[in-house]
Amino acid sequence: MGHSSGEESDISDSEIDEYKDKMYAQLRCGKMRVRYGDKTLRCPFCLGKKKQDYNGKDLLQHASGIGVASKRKPKERAGHLALAEYLKNDLGISLEPPSQLAIVEHKPPKNEEVKYVWPWTGILVNLPNDLKDINFVRENEDRLRSQLSRFRPREVAILSDPEGQTDHSIIKFAEDWDGLSDAIAFENHFKLEQYSKTDWKMRKCRKDDLYGWLATSDDYNSPGTVGEHLRKTGVLKSSGELQREGTARRIAHFNRQMDESNKRMQELKLKNRQNELKLDMMMKEKVRLVEEHNRKIRQMRQDAQRNSRKIREGNLRLQQELETRRQEIHKQQHDKLARKGISIDRTTAEAEKEKVILLVFSNTI
């Protein structure tokens, strides 16, 4: 039996509980049909709408979401609240968060830093049906990454539970401070839209839209697919730890640079010392060569002076010998002529004497 919220006049907000109980009684007695086959369920208050067939959790989510939607009419809300109560109490369908997204309450002490999953990781839950098709996982991940492009995700992965159901996604951001800034912007977006982690717990997934938050130690230590994936691909770090690690890395990098600079400085000092020794040897060799050259010059000058003195002494001696010889010849000629009684004038005698001297000098040389 079908029932539409438009068949009767609407009710006031104060009559919602009474009308809900009435619809709940009709559902229990079978006046309204919910089951169609073994696995297919339909909403008796939305017959004729585009969406017809649901599984248990999807129908409960649909009923719960409309039941708390303030923009819906009171009678429509009451009927869907009755349907949600019927699905939970009579058909045993639960809409508690899946085990892989079990949220462990953890309130760190005031002095304890909140630890996030690093590389920075976001979690999306309550994926729409058009992203749940396991035959198009890669295409759906690309679509989701495009939708989140403003947060600059590095990687988007849609995870499946052991039964092959996909209802959550893991968003990876860059590992540096820019990545943390993007991850915080991602979480703040869902907080402002009231689709955060807290809203997910309070509303128990009662809206047909995505919920998202930044993965922390609660998610990291949770059982199931999400926790296993986070533990496999990341580690827990606080922003303070990352800052201290960054400081330590910068100090280590600075120390390495200092060591390299000191090593380079020592190498330059050694090379400079070697060049100084080479220059010193070259200067000493230059001094030795200059001294050797000067010594040779002095020796050559001394030899020249000695030779010059010998020549002058030799010439003087020759001149003395020549004069002595000339005088002897002159005397001999004079004596010879005197003995012969030959009288010659002085001019002729001098001329004859010079010829004799030249002849003697030529024979001497």
Side-chain angles (χ1 to χ4, degrees):
M1 176 179 178
H3 182 85
S4 172
S5 60
E7 291 179 356
E8 301 177 6
S9 60
D10 205 355
I11 61 176
S12 64
D13 290 340
S14 61
E15 297 174 314
I16 288 179
D17 290 339
E18 181 181 352
Y19 190 79
K20 181 194 73 172
D21 294 339
K22 179 181 177 181
M23 294 298 100
Y24 178 62
Q26 291 185 16
L27 287 167
R28 294 195 67 183
C29 68
K31 289 184 179 181
M32 292 185 180
R33 186 178 178 185
V34 177
R35 286 189 178 276
Y36 291 82
D38 295 335
K39 296 183 179 180
T40 303
L41 302 175
R42 293 181 182 177
C43 176
F45 302 101
C46 295
L47 296 178
K49 299 290 181 67
K50 182 178 180 180
K51 175 71 174 179
Q52 291 290 320
D53 298 337
Y54 295 86
N55 59 34
K57 290 184 179 181
D58 287 343
L59 183 57
L60 179 55
Q61 179 178 330
H62 164 80
S64 300
I66 295 180
V68 297
S70 59
K71 294 183 179 180
R72 299 281 186 165
K73 293 182 179 180
K75 182 180 289 187
E76 188 177 5
R77 290 165 55 197
H80 283 84
L81 287 173
L83 176 60
E85 188 172 343
Y86 172 74
L87 292 172
K88 290 187 288 187
N89 297 340
D90 296 83
L91 299 186
I93 298 173
S94 174
L95 201 60
E96 293 297 324
S99 59
Q100 60 268 27
L101 293 175
I103 300 173
V104 181
E105 291 292 342
H106 175 67
K107 295 182 179 180
K110 292 183 179 180
N111 296 330
E112 182 179 341
E113 296 179 302
V114 177
K115 292 190 175 183
Y116 298 93
V117 177
W118 183 87
W120 314 118
T121 304
I123 296 177
L124 285 177
V125 299
N126 204 35
L127 299 180
N129 291 328
D130 58 350
L131 293 176
K132 294 182 180 181
D133 193 339
I134 61 175
N135 296 318
F136 299 96
V137 173
R138 179 61 62 185
E139 291 82 354
N140 292 336
E141 289 174 346
D142 291 340
R143 285 178 53 199
L144 194 55
R145 181 174 182 176
S146 177
Q147 293 174 8
L148 300 173
S149 59
R150 79 184 85 167
F151 307 114
R152 300 186 298 180
R154 292 294 180 87
E155 180 183 345
V156 174
I158 298 177
L159 304 183
S160 301
D161 58 23
E163 298 179 357
Q165 299 295 322
T166 57
D167 193 39
H168 44 275
S169 177
I170 299 297
I171 315 298
K172 296 284 186 181
F173 299 93
E175 300 179 3
D176 54 15
W177 289 105
D178 290 337
L180 177 59
S181 178
D182 294 333
I184 292 175
F186 165 84
E187 183 174 57
N188 288 338
H189 166 75
F190 287 97
K191 283 183 178 179
L192 291 174
E193 298 293 331
Q194 297 184 346
Y195 288 100
S196 65
K197 187 176 186 177
T198 303
D199 299 315
W200 167 261
K201 291 189 295 182
M202 291 178 60
R203 296 176 181 172
K204 295 185 179 179
C205 168
R206 292 179 180 176
K207 277 196 174 184
D208 298 329
D209 209 339
L210 289 170
Y211 288 72
W213 59 84
L214 191 56
T216 62
S217 55
D218 295 345
D219 309 290
Y220 185 86
N221 295 319
S222 65
T225 305
V226 170
E228 292 176 0
H229 182 84
L230 294 178
R231 290 189 291 273
K232 182 178 179 181
T233 60
V235 295
L236 287 176
K237 288 186 179 181
S238 66
S239 58
E241 287 176 338
L242 188 68
Q243 186 173 8
R244 288 189 291 272
E245 288 179 2
T247 302
R249 283 196 296 269
R250 287 192 293 272
I251 292 175
H253 178 67
F254 176 75
N255 289 336
R256 286 195 298 271
Q257 286 185 325
M258 288 296 295
D259 291 340
E260 291 176 359
S261 297
N262 291 335
K263 183 179 179 181
R264 180 61 177 165
M265 185 67 69
Q266 293 299 325
E267 291 176 352
L268 291 175
K269 285 183 178 179
L270 178 60
K271 190 172 183 179
N272 186 52
R273 180 57 181 165
Q274 292 174 345
N275 291 334
E276 288 179 351
L277 292 175
K278 289 180 180 179
L279 180 60
D280 186 56
M281 293 176 64
M282 291 173 63
M283 292 301 295
K284 289 180 178 180
E285 180 66 14
K286 178 183 177 182
V287 170
R288 188 189 66 80
L289 292 175
V290 170
E291 291 179 350
E292 180 69 16
H293 173 73
N294 292 337
R295 186 187 64 78
K296 290 181 178 180
I297 294 297
R298 288 195 300 270
Q299 185 65 41
M300 291 174 62
R301 287 177 179 175
Q302 291 173 0
D303 293 342
Q305 291 174 356
R306 192 165 43 249
N307 293 333
S308 178
R309 188 169 57 251
K310 288 180 178 180
I311 292 173
R312 287 197 303 271
E313 292 174 352
N315 289 338
L316 182 59
R317 188 176 58 254
L318 288 175
Q319 289 177 1
Q320 292 174 351
E321 291 177 357
L322 180 60
E323 181 64 23
T324 302
R325 185 64 174 164
R326 187 178 66 81
Q327 292 176 0
E328 291 177 353
I329 293 173
H330 180 268
K331 184 179 180 182
Q332 290 175 2
Q333 289 293 332
H334 185 273
D335 292 342
K336 184 177 179 181
L337 291 174
R339 284 193 301 265
K340 289 181 177 182
I342 300 175
S343 177
I344 58 174
D345 58 64
R346 183 177 181 83
T347 302
T348 304
E350 290 294 333
E352 289 295 333
K353 182 172 63 173
E354 289 295 332
K355 290 180 181 181
V356 173
I357 291 172
L358 290 175
L359 179 61
V360 173
F361 183 72
S362 299
N363 293 334
T364 303
I365 295 174

